[in-house]
Amino acid sequence: MACPILRLSVFLLLLGVLVRAAAAEDPDQVFASQALSSLGMIDVTSPPFGADPTGESDSTEAIQRAILFARDAQMVTYFPKGTYVVSDTLRCLHGRWDPDIGKLRNTRDLPCILVGDRSTTERPLIRLADHSPGYDDPARPKHVVRFWAFGSGREQPTTELQPNINMNQMMIGIDVSVGRGNPGAVAIRHRAAQGSSIQDCTIDARGGLIGLEGGAGSGGSHFGITVIGGKVGIDYSETQPAPTLAGITLIDQEQTAIVNASRQALTVVGCRIETNGHGPVIVTRQKTPHHGQLSMVDSMIDFKKPGQNVVIDAQAAVTMHDVYVRGASAVVQSGQQTLFKADQEGWMRVQELAAALPAPPLGSWTPMPGFRYETPIFVNGNRSLSAIHALVDSVNGPPENLVTRHLWRSSFPSWQSPGAVNVAEPPYEAQGDGQHDDTEAIQRAVDENGIVFLPKGVYKISRPIRLRSDSALIGVGRCYTWIEPLGGKGSAFVNPADPMPLIQTADDAQANTTLAFLGLQTTLDAPGAYCLNWRCGGASVYRSVNVDMPAAWKAKRLKESPQYDFPLVRITGNGGGKFYNFHQESWGLHGREYRHVLVEGTRQPLRFYQCNPEHARSDANMEIRGASDVSVFGVKGEYQTPIIRMVDSDKIRIFGYGGNASAWPGRALFEIEDCSSYLLTNLVDSPRLQGAGSADHFAGEGSDPRTWSMVQVIAGEKPDLELRPADRPVLIRRGDP
């Protein structure tokens, strides 16, 4: 006989589900009362939600209902300017599986996307009410805003968290305050993968525990975040592979600015840390050989008080590149041992530093317990005999734009920008219904305006959309606004021998082009289409854009499957600028010349902030060919073909690699051929050993790590750098990249 208490608990659980289902809003009524619904947005202040933007009343329930309604309607949750007081966690649960709904939906395109008002420079604020219940104990942290995903029932059960499918979840342009009397408060939790990001956010964590908890990698990362106060500014004890942080400011944390135990290397670029404490301001921890590595680029650490001040206390390998330090006595220590001192008065520039801390052996849970990876340093082809390599000098101070050079401009275009036009409104009247040809409407809007906004929809085109040098093409969300090719007679996209891009930018080194918050997707009936030909210069921005192609299983119903033997994204001519969260993971229909992204012949500065090309069945996932001045801040990969291949190029920099790729025997994950200057740091894999996966698995099968190398370098016809298979290089540099 079942326990009465158990029966009562089950009854109450079911009752709760039924009550929530009964209280669910009718979509037609919601859309009728929401002025922004035609754009693909749900306003938290409009009926039936009615969140209070004045901060007078508690808006927790109203905001929560709006978030989940918008998610299930595949729309953005929009916050007008104002202050929103909450007293409990705002739950941003990915819609792939939500136990309240009880449906398992096989799509990554049901995220929670929270976006703030851009009509003024003042961002909306979510403020935790003073002395909120459950936030009083630092030993039991509680989140103000939390993003997560439950398992799909395959890799993880639906009752467990599965961060590698926590995809496309975003929070953009909204500030958070932990209020007063909430010492256990964590402002935001967001450990996530492809397409996920916190952007343009100031966190007031004073009196609280943590500003940002959980790292995004694997094609996701966090940008433009300021954390003021808190015990810890950013806690990356848990992350996805190769997380990236860019444009970060951390001020006056009580204990530590950054705690890092990342899955493979964390790359921090464009970071400013100011502290009244003595440090260490950064602490790295290493659970296994593939945790806790750190690469820090274009950053500054300023100690306001004299004393025995420490920048980094490291358990895993560290590199630093153009990092400016003032007031420190030690740059890197490991436990009680000082690895590199700071002995200059005033500002010291760490031009380059590598601390090659040894990695622990593989554990007993692996097929190769006791196996050790090595952590060498290579400079100009020579393997260093020392575990420390450093180049430093004294300077007057850091450049003023050290942080901002890695972000978009503050006046980033949006649907609310002056002069922006809605392509669905007169005189353009694009349909966005996935059926009509919207080419003329979109092209005319682009020709006549600088900022063109595409509301939620699927916009079919029959020929490439050609952007102006100053074009800004903006969608409502990276998986809510789609541009796709039309097939059939009259389409420019049907001939794979003459492939054409959906979007082609102007070939202009002075261009200031923007592509943001939309998706580009090819289709089976248009085998001559690829997503993007990017030719605009170093001031241009690619921000949170989806690029996709048909899945191989969808082609099985065709008599003859198409084979894509050309790149999905081509960066050519004057192509440059900043790419934020590039990822592509298709794993079928590839010819040998296919690339997720090909950079060819460019000379403009080109920067990738988290780059995730993986699973390609071609000769390489990404290739940089005949190019110069390319930097990749954080790269993640899976499968057995090279993640990045570099040929006949110079000034190429790759900071921080992670993932479970395992190269073919005798091959490498990074191939360098006839390149004159390059830099690679902290190349660390999560071992994919024998018995893992299969040849048909999207990530391939495991292999013996003694049979392949992380990097192969060829000059002419001879190897130029002798790496051992067990090497996981902390730093490889040739020349002056």
Side-chain angles (χ1 to χ4, degrees), residues 250 252-253 255-257 272-282 300-313 320 323-333 342 346-348:
L250 304 169
D252 290 340
Q253 277 69 53
Q255 294 178 356
T256 308
R272 176 167 66 96
I273 299 175
E274 296 181 6
T275 180
N276 277 303
H278 297 293
V281 293
I282 300 172
M300 60 167 283
I301 298 95
D302 192 2
F303 291 93
K304 298 177 183 178
K305 294 181 179 179
Q308 296 301 304
N309 300 328
V310 179
V311 177
I312 300 175
D313 186 4
M320 303 174 79
V323 175
Y324 297 78
V325 177
R326 181 167 66 176
S329 58
V331 177
V332 181
Q333 71 177 30
W347 284 100
M348 179 178 72

Side-chain angles (χ1 to χ4, degrees), residues 76 109 111-115 118 167-173 190 193-200 216-224 244 246 406-408 412-413 453-454 473-483 513-521 532 534 540-548 569 577-585 607-612:
V76 163
D109 291 346
C112 301
I113 300 180
L114 282 55
V115 174
R118 288 288 309 278
M167 299 174 176
N168 292 326
Q169 302 228 85
M170 303 184 74
M171 181 169 163
I172 307 167
H190 199 6
Q194 282 85 358
S196 291
S197 192
I198 305 295
Q199 302 180 7
D200 291 340
S218 304
S221 53
H222 301 320
F223 308 111
T244 302
H406 294 286
L407 290 171
W408 42 81
F412 193 85
F453 172 65
L454 283 72
L473 197 62
I474 311 290
V476 71
R478 65 190 314 278
C479 50
Y480 299 153
T481 297
W482 289 98
I483 297 176
T513 305
T514 301
L515 197 65
F517 308 129
L518 52 78
L520 307 173
Q521 183 167 247
L532 176 64
W534 183 268
S540 300
V541 173
Y542 169 112
R543 180 179 175 187
S544 298
V545 175
N546 232 338
V547 291
D548 207 358
V569 172
K578 304 180 182 73
F579 276 57
Y580 296 96
N581 285 348
F582 179 90
H583 67 91
Q584 223 303 302
E585 312 126 69
R607 308 289 181 257
F608 289 86
Y609 298 87
Q610 183 39 237
C611 186
N612 174 213

